[in-house]
Amino acid sequence: AQKVTQAQTEISVVEKEDVTLDCVYETRDTTYYLFWYKQPPSGELVFLIRRNSFDEQNEISGRYSWNFQKSTSSFNFTITASQVVDSAVYFCALSGGRRDDMRFGAGTRLTVKP
Amino acid sequence: NAGVTQTPKFRILKIGQSMTLQCTQDMNHNYMYWYRQDPGMGLKLIYYSVGAGITDKGEVPNGYNVSRSTTEDFPLRLELAAPSQTSVYFCASSYQGTSGGSPRTDTQYFGPGTRLTVL
């Protein structure tokens, strides 16, 4: 069975601080896909990144970076120099590529204070 | 492209009433999904469809029905609303197919959500 754990329920930081959101996953699949989504206060789900299990390269996109480590089954998300607009709930998700197996973590609520 | 659109944005139902949540996508995606998000929780899959005329149950299908008569539309029906169905409902779509002979699994893109309250 697939499982995603986001142990941090809520994180609060002050603007310009760096913050890392943790994601640990469990799967028996050798090929799988990991995702991060952002849910701002307005409620929509915004896709941030998709990572295949055979590509362990870390990725950086502006202030966002992702650290994928198969050895620890983790796919952590770091925001550098956080801003108030980063305040949102962030979800990590896992799929084995099958039609009905997308599993979401419970989410981490990030609050960035000015 | 509008992407995935959902109507209505908000709805209040009385116990026992029925309603249909509408979902439309214009990305020519073959797969479509319905999820519910309960307060403080992640998303759980209600139903999904791999193409027009084909639907199947997800993790939490009880109390819901779906149909998929076209590629674009995937309505979710609540027949006898119950307070336990108070939630935010998200529709999503993705492309699943092959690329160069290999399976291709694309990202799910979500609609803006429908906030449903059953009193």
Side-chain angles (χ1 to χ4, degrees), chain B residues 79-94:
Chain B
E79 291 293 351
L80 290 170
S84 61
Q85 293 178 305
T86 293
S87 190
V88 180
Y89 291 84
F90 288 97
C91 180
S93 71
S94 69

Side-chain angles (χ1 to χ4, degrees), chain A residues 33 35 37 39 42-45 47 50 52 89 91 95-107, chain B residues 31 33 35 37 40-43 45 48 50 57-59 90 96 103-112:
Chain A
Y33 306 84
F35 305 82
Y37 287 87
Q39 187 175 44
S42 51
E44 73 273 25
L45 277 162
F47 164 72
R50 170 177 180 264
N52 302 328
V89 180
F91 291 98
S95 171
R98 290 176 294 277
R99 51 191 65 182
D100 63 343
D101 72 346
M102 185 82 142
R103 293 293 181 266
F104 286 80
Chain B
Y31 279 40
Y33 313 82
Y35 292 89
Q37 182 186 22
M41 306 288 285
L43 280 70
L45 183 65
Y48 66 95
V50 303
K57 297 177 181 178
E59 272 186 281
F90 288 97
Q96 309 281 95
R104 172 183 156 184
T105 298
D106 268 0
T107 301
Q108 291 185 24
Y109 291 93
F110 287 81

